[in-house]
Amino acid sequence: MRIIYLDNAASTWPKPAGVKEAMAEVIDHYAANPGRGGHALSKRAGKTLFQTRAQLSRLFGIKNPNNLFFFLNATQALNQAIKGYLQAGDHVISTTIEHNAVRRPLEYMRRTKNVEITYIAPREDQLFYAEDFRQAVQANTRLIVVSHASNLTGLILPVEEIGKIAREHSIPLLVDASQTAGILPIDVESMNIDMLAFPGHKGLYGPQGTGGLYINDSLELEPLIHGGTGSQSESVDQPQKRPERFESGTVNTVGLAGLLAGANFVLERGVEEIHKHEWTLARMTMEGLSQLSGIKMYGPGLDIERVGVVSFNIEGIDATEVSFILDQQYGIATRAGYHCTPLAHQTVGTDKEGAVRVSFGIFNTEQDVRDLLQAVKEIKEAFHF
Ligand SMILES: Cc1ncc(COP(=O)(O)O)c(C=O)c1O
């Protein structure tokens, strides 16, 4: 059976040509420890890391690649940003569509450090307005944390406008780009983004076990992890120098070589083309589903541009069951349940039932969408309505 992979919001698959080869090249020819030895193989591994930092910096408009730090995923990057920056008694503004990778560290800081949190909700039209962030600013507001796009509905947040408000009030802005890195244009300078957390295994087409965090030069954060950095080894303190300050222990050179190949692919294709393709497929899906009776979709109207994520339910059939049948009978990989974002499910009213999520990548086709729509129609009919 042909597999139709529609779970790209979790991890993209397949990967572009070159990713596997770049990883095999490390294993076969230079899997030495980067930055730890003066020998040729260690230097070659170090060069791969530098190139990965440089290409990602190009993609995100980061001036100094040493302000970009590697982590194993977006969750670790977000934990570093949130726990490393917030202090007791601070106030933070976030949103009601955040993933648990943002919400849980925030709630942990509330419990342990008395951090105050304001979650901004979308208005009645289901859209977010930057003005609502301005209204929420308090004297002790020290951080604004927002997802660039929802992993449940694909809704894109007005990050640029939120960035302007953050800058006016001198409040740093942390953006969770898990659903947009490699998909939407991101320029940390012009968008006033002070910290940017991103996974390597989604829209950047790298392997799992890769991700990163950009931290603006002027921000001081406590490192979450202390240890060997291959530099200033005589000191008992973590070096101030970047990137070592936030990168203790051996990094994932094999994975990062794959991420470099993925980032090169994205830079060659261009995020505009990638987004256009994914949005075309998402809109086609929504239009097709809206023509079937008994289907409920979530998020704003069809005319509002989103990333390639669509969530829906078939009335009277459990989301998990729909996803299971799609997988077992049709070879269509989707994701059902709460997508690690119970807050967003509460926001769209699916906190009891969850939803089926389909999410597109650059390698999906219009035929994939037609096959999905046909499968949904058949499942619906098999349940007699
Ligand atoms: C919006 C959002 N934030 C954070 C994450 C966590 O990403 P990772 O799995 O790389 O830690 C995800 C993953 O699904 C996500 O969609």
Side-chain angles (χ1 to χ4, degrees):
M1 188 164 39
R2 179 172 91 96
I3 289 188
I4 300 176
Y5 185 77
L6 300 181
D7 195 17
N8 291 278
S11 284
T12 49
W13 184 80
K15 303 298 179 187
V19 171
K20 182 178 69 182
E21 290 76 5
M23 295 171 74
E25 172 86 5
V26 180
I27 293 288
D28 287 345
H29 298 290
Y30 66 100
N33 208 309
R36 303 294 200 269
H39 56 80
L41 293 194
S42 170
K43 282 186 184 151
R44 185 163 173 206
K47 191 169 162 208
T48 295
L49 294 197
F50 178 78
Q51 285 172 337
T52 311
R53 251 186 259 283
Q55 285 301 71
L56 291 171
S57 295
R58 230 181 104 200
L59 189 63
F60 299 136
I62 295 166
K63 283 191 188 140
N64 179 359
N66 287 334
N67 286 331
L68 189 149
F69 310 97
F70 295 126
F71 288 88
L72 294 180
N73 47 48
T75 301
Q76 291 195 352
L78 286 160
N79 269 266
Q80 168 62 70
I82 291 170
K83 295 178 185 163
Y85 183 71
L86 288 174
Q87 291 171 5
D90 285 346
H91 172 241
V92 51
I93 302 171
S94 192
T95 80
T96 61
I97 57 134
E98 297 308 314
H99 190 275
N100 275 343
V102 168
R103 191 197 187 190
R104 284 182 174 162
L106 285 181
E107 291 295 335
Y108 171 81
M109 293 304 279
R110 188 201 310 257
R111 251 191 345 269
T112 58
K113 294 267 173 15
N114 227 3
V115 163
E116 271 182 87
I117 313 166
T118 301
Y119 290 109
I120 305 287
R123 292 192 192 169
E124 226 168 281
D125 57 6
Q126 306 207 41
L127 300 180
F128 282 89
Y129 289 85
E131 193 48 37
D132 295 343
F133 290 77
R134 189 200 303 281
Q135 300 298 329
V137 172
Q138 302 179 180
N140 60 339
T141 306
R142 246 182 113 245
L143 187 65
I144 298 176
V145 190
V146 292
S147 269
H148 196 177
S150 163
N151 68 313
L152 176 62
T153 63
L155 174 71
I156 301 166
L157 274 78
V159 165
E160 205 161 345
E161 286 77 45
I162 297 168
K164 281 189 194 130
I165 289 168
R167 192 46 49 98
E168 279 167 29
H169 291 84
S170 303
I171 301 166
L173 172 64
L174 163 62
V175 173
D176 173 3
S178 292
Q179 294 302 332
T180 57
I183 296 163
L184 292 183
I186 295 176
D187 183 295
V188 296
E189 294 289 328
S190 67
M191 293 165 88
N192 290 321
I193 297 172
D194 298 286
M195 291 191 275
L196 181 79
F198 61 89
H201 58 100
K202 301 187 198 254
L204 294 170
Y205 291 93
Q208 293 170 354
T210 60
L213 177 68
Y214 158 74
I215 308 175
N216 182 337
D217 261 335
S218 61
L219 287 189
E220 286 288 334
L221 269 76
E222 266 311 307
L224 281 199
I225 306 288
H226 300 83
T229 55
S231 62
Q232 298 176 25
S233 299
E234 68 291 353
S235 167
V236 294
D237 294 321
Q238 191 71 10
Q240 286 293 337
K241 195 163 165 274
R242 296 179 175 201
E244 294 95 310
R245 184 156 179 76
F246 301 105
E247 282 180 7
S248 291
T250 303
V251 298
N252 176 11
T253 312
V254 176
L256 292 170
L259 176 57
L260 173 58
N264 283 337
F265 168 81
V266 168
L267 282 159
E268 270 161 36
R269 274 290 172 105
V271 287
E272 286 79 7
E273 187 193 318
I274 292 172
H275 171 57
K276 191 168 159 226
H277 179 72
E278 294 181 10
W279 167 233
T280 301
L281 298 183
R283 195 173 41 196
M284 190 177 156
T285 305
M286 290 192 288
E287 278 164 5
L289 288 175
S290 67
Q291 278 159 25
L292 300 174
S293 60
I295 304 280
K296 196 153 177 11
M297 279 181 285
Y298 306 100
L302 293 191
D303 48 326
I304 303 286
E305 194 163 322
R306 320 177 185 197
V307 294
V309 176
V310 179
S311 289
F312 67 94
N313 273 308
I314 305 179
E315 242 169 59
I317 319 178
D318 186 69
T320 318
E321 194 167 355
V322 173
S323 190
F324 181 77
I325 298 170
L326 283 170
D327 178 50
Q328 296 290 306
Q329 289 186 17
Y330 297 91
I332 302 178
T334 63
R335 185 164 165 200
Y338 296 103
H339 315 95
C340 298
T341 181
L343 202 55
H345 276 281
Q346 267 169 37
T347 307
V348 301
T350 48
D351 44 326
K352 301 255 169 356
E353 68 270 44
V356 181
R357 180 183 75 181
V358 297
S359 51
F360 299 100
I362 190 68
F363 299 115
N364 287 119
T365 61
E366 294 192 358
Q367 187 57 45
D368 292 345
V369 176
R370 283 191 285 275
D371 288 350
L372 169 75
L373 292 171
Q374 180 61 27
V376 171
K377 189 164 171 275
E378 286 177 15
I379 295 171
K380 207 174 79 74
E381 283 165 3
F383 279 74
H384 306 299
F385 63 90

